[in-house]
Amino acid sequence: IATLSTVTHYGLRFSLISDISLEDNSYRVIHHTAFYIGICLSMTLILAALLSSAATVRESQCLTAMGFFCFALAFCGLLPAACWRYTHSTEVEDSMMDVYDRVYEEVRRNPSSFRRHELAAIHEAFLCCGKHSPFGDTASIEQKTCPPGQTWDAGQDCLQEIQHFLKKHLDFISTLLGVTIAFMIYGMILTSFLGFSIHFSSNLERKGKYVLR
């Protein structure tokens, strides 16, 4: 989760769209929120693993309870994230394409705009070139902003390329969320079992004489 959050936050394609200076760049909010939530979840899971390991070695009910609480906290964070992923499945995609649309249209209206460099950077990062437009005046713009060696009429539509790229990335995130939620449930069951084992062993004065298999 920490690796995926870092790659998503600092990856060229994501950061390029996020850094475009639009007043209502809705993707920037999603971009930063996803990073901080991912890092917080990963830190919570690391803490849960450390506490559970220490609880097993020391046979401590207090550490076991804290480990269970961390697993439960991570589960409560992952479940809304998974629900948001399915109920707002197109929000990330739409926000990124809206940013590209606005940059593209601004360059189309004013070829000398400073956003021309931003548009060229997007084309180079996504290996795409312009978009299918009902206007007939896009050829000159796309010829100047396409990646080197790629002709505008043979280029990949950027909106389709962004959509295809995000679909693969979000599908991977959905799989990771599902697997992690399953492991959270498993972790809560194991820490509960460990806590009860320590409790009953302490009551029977058999502390240290049982083996976890």
Coordinates of all heavy atoms in Angstrom, one line a residue, residues 32-63:
H32 N -3.8 14.2 -3.7 CA -3.1 14.4 -2.4 C -3.9 13.5 -1.4 O -3.2 12.9 -0.5 CB -3.1 15.8 -2.0 CG -2.2 16.6 -2.9 ND1 -0.8 16.4 -2.9 CD2 -2.4 17.7 -3.7 CE1 -0.2 17.3 -3.7 NE2 -1.2 18.1 -4.2
T33 N -5.2 13.5 -1.4 CA -6.0 12.8 -0.4 C -5.6 11.3 -0.5 O -5.5 10.6 0.5 CB -7.5 13.0 -0.7 OG1 -7.8 14.4 -0.6 CG2 -8.3 12.2 0.4
A34 N -5.6 10.7 -1.7 CA -5.3 9.3 -1.9 C -3.9 9.0 -1.3 O -3.7 7.9 -0.7 CB -5.3 8.9 -3.3
F35 N -2.9 9.9 -1.5 CA -1.6 9.6 -1.0 C -1.5 9.6 0.5 O -1.0 8.7 1.1 CB -0.6 10.7 -1.5 CG 0.8 10.7 -0.9 CD1 1.6 9.6 -1.3 CD2 1.2 11.6 0.0 CE1 2.9 9.6 -0.7 CE2 2.5 11.6 0.6 CZ 3.3 10.5 0.2
Y36 N -2.2 10.6 1.2 CA -2.1 10.6 2.6 C -2.9 9.5 3.3 O -2.5 8.9 4.3 CB -2.6 12.0 3.1 CG -1.7 13.1 2.8 CD1 -2.2 14.2 2.0 CD2 -0.4 13.1 3.1 CE1 -1.3 15.3 1.7 CE2 0.5 14.2 2.8 CZ 0.0 15.2 2.1 OH 0.8 16.3 1.7
I37 N -4.0 9.1 2.7 CA -4.8 8.0 3.2 C -4.0 6.7 3.1 O -3.9 5.9 4.0 CB -6.1 7.9 2.5 CG1 -7.1 9.0 2.9 CG2 -6.8 6.6 2.8 CD1 -8.4 9.1 2.2
G38 N -3.3 6.5 1.9 CA -2.5 5.3 1.7 C -1.4 5.2 2.7 O -1.1 4.1 3.2
I39 N -0.7 6.3 2.9 CA 0.4 6.3 3.9 C 0.0 6.0 5.3 O 0.6 5.2 6.0 CB 1.2 7.6 3.8 CG1 1.9 7.8 2.4 CG2 2.2 7.7 4.9 CD1 2.9 6.7 2.1
C40 N -1.2 6.7 5.7 CA -1.7 6.4 7.0 C -2.1 5.0 7.2 O -1.8 4.4 8.3 CB -2.9 7.3 7.3 SG -2.5 9.1 7.5
L41 N -2.7 4.4 6.2 CA -3.1 3.0 6.3 C -1.9 2.1 6.4 O -1.9 1.1 7.2 CB -4.0 2.6 5.1 CG -5.5 3.0 5.1 CD1 -6.1 2.7 3.7 CD2 -6.2 2.4 6.2
S42 N -0.9 2.3 5.6 CA 0.3 1.5 5.6 C 1.0 1.6 6.9 O 1.5 0.6 7.5 CB 1.2 1.8 4.5 OG 1.7 3.2 4.6
M43 N 1.1 2.8 7.5 CA 1.7 2.9 8.8 C 0.9 2.2 9.9 O 1.5 1.6 10.8 CB 1.8 4.4 9.2 CG 2.8 5.2 8.3 SD 4.5 4.6 8.3 CE 4.5 3.7 6.7
T44 N -0.4 2.2 9.8 CA -1.3 1.5 10.7 C -1.1 0.0 10.7 O -1.0 -0.7 11.7 CB -2.8 1.8 10.5 OG1 -3.0 3.3 10.5 CG2 -3.7 1.2 11.5
L45 N -0.9 -0.5 9.4 CA -0.7 -1.9 9.3 C 0.7 -2.3 9.8 O 0.8 -3.4 10.4 CB -0.8 -2.3 7.8 CG -2.2 -2.1 7.2 CD1 -2.2 -2.5 5.7 CD2 -3.2 -3.0 7.9
I46 N 1.7 -1.5 9.6 CA 3.0 -1.8 10.1 C 3.0 -1.9 11.6 O 3.6 -2.8 12.3 CB 4.0 -0.8 9.6 CG1 4.3 -1.0 8.1 CG2 5.4 -0.9 10.3 CD1 5.1 0.1 7.4
L47 N 2.3 -0.9 12.2 CA 2.2 -0.8 13.7 C 1.4 -2.1 14.2 O 1.8 -2.7 15.2 CB 1.5 0.4 14.1 CG 1.3 0.7 15.6 CD1 2.6 0.7 16.3 CD2 0.5 1.9 15.9
A48 N 0.4 -2.5 13.5 CA -0.4 -3.7 13.9 C 0.5 -4.9 13.9 O 0.4 -5.8 14.8 CB -1.6 -3.8 13.0
A49 N 1.3 -5.0 12.8 CA 2.2 -6.2 12.7 C 3.2 -6.2 13.8 O 3.5 -7.3 14.4 CB 2.9 -6.2 11.3
L50 N 3.8 -5.0 14.1 CA 4.8 -5.0 15.2 C 4.2 -5.3 16.5 O 4.8 -6.0 17.3 CB 5.5 -3.6 15.2 CG 6.3 -3.2 14.0 CD1 6.8 -1.8 14.1 CD2 7.5 -4.2 13.9
L51 N 3.0 -4.7 16.8 CA 2.4 -5.0 18.1 C 2.0 -6.5 18.2 O 2.2 -7.1 19.3 CB 1.1 -4.1 18.2 CG 1.4 -2.6 18.4 CD1 0.1 -1.8 18.3 CD2 2.1 -2.4 19.8
S52 N 1.5 -7.1 17.2 CA 1.1 -8.5 17.2 C 2.3 -9.4 17.4 O 2.3 -10.3 18.2 CB 0.4 -8.9 15.9 OG -0.7 -8.1 15.7
S53 N 3.5 -9.0 16.8 CA 4.7 -9.8 17.0 C 5.2 -9.7 18.4 O 5.5 -10.7 19.0 CB 5.8 -9.3 16.0 OG 5.3 -9.5 14.7
A54 N 5.2 -8.4 18.9 CA 5.6 -8.2 20.3 C 4.7 -8.9 21.3 O 5.1 -9.5 22.3 CB 5.7 -6.7 20.6
A55 N 3.4 -8.9 21.0 CA 2.4 -9.6 21.9 C 2.6 -11.1 21.9 O 2.5 -11.7 23.0 CB 1.0 -9.3 21.4
T56 N 3.0 -11.7 20.8 CA 3.3 -13.1 20.7 C 4.5 -13.5 21.5 O 4.5 -14.4 22.3 CB 3.4 -13.5 19.3 OG1 2.3 -13.2 18.5 CG2 3.6 -15.1 19.2
V57 N 5.5 -12.7 21.4 CA 6.8 -13.0 22.1 C 6.6 -12.7 23.6 O 7.1 -13.6 24.4 CB 7.9 -12.1 21.6 CG1 9.2 -12.2 22.4 CG2 8.2 -12.4 20.1
R58 N 6.0 -11.6 24.0 CA 5.9 -11.3 25.4 C 4.6 -11.9 26.1 O 4.4 -11.8 27.3 CB 5.9 -9.8 25.6 CG 7.2 -9.1 25.1 CD 7.2 -7.7 25.5 NE 8.4 -7.0 25.1 CZ 8.7 -5.8 25.4 NH1 7.8 -5.0 26.1 NH2 9.9 -5.2 25.0
E59 N 3.7 -12.4 25.3 CA 2.5 -13.0 25.8 C 1.7 -11.9 26.6 O 1.3 -12.1 27.7 CB 2.7 -14.2 26.6 CG 3.4 -15.3 25.9 CD 3.7 -16.6 26.7 OE1 3.0 -16.7 27.8 OE2 4.5 -17.4 26.3
S60 N 1.6 -10.7 25.9 CA 1.0 -9.6 26.6 C -0.4 -9.3 26.0 O -0.6 -9.2 24.8 CB 1.8 -8.3 26.3 OG 1.1 -7.2 26.7
Q61 N -1.4 -9.3 26.9 CA -2.8 -9.1 26.5 C -3.0 -7.6 26.1 O -3.7 -7.3 25.1 CB -3.8 -9.3 27.7 CG -4.0 -10.8 27.9 CD -5.1 -11.0 29.0 OE1 -4.7 -11.0 30.2 NE2 -6.3 -11.1 28.6
C62 N -2.2 -6.7 26.7 CA -2.3 -5.3 26.4 C -1.9 -5.1 24.9 O -2.5 -4.4 24.1 CB -1.5 -4.5 27.3 SG -1.6 -2.7 27.0
L63 N -0.7 -5.6 24.6 CA -0.2 -5.5 23.2 C -1.1 -6.2 22.2 O -1.3 -5.7 21.1 CB 1.2 -6.0 23.1 CG 2.3 -5.3 23.9 CD1 3.7 -6.0 23.8 CD2 2.5 -3.9 23.3

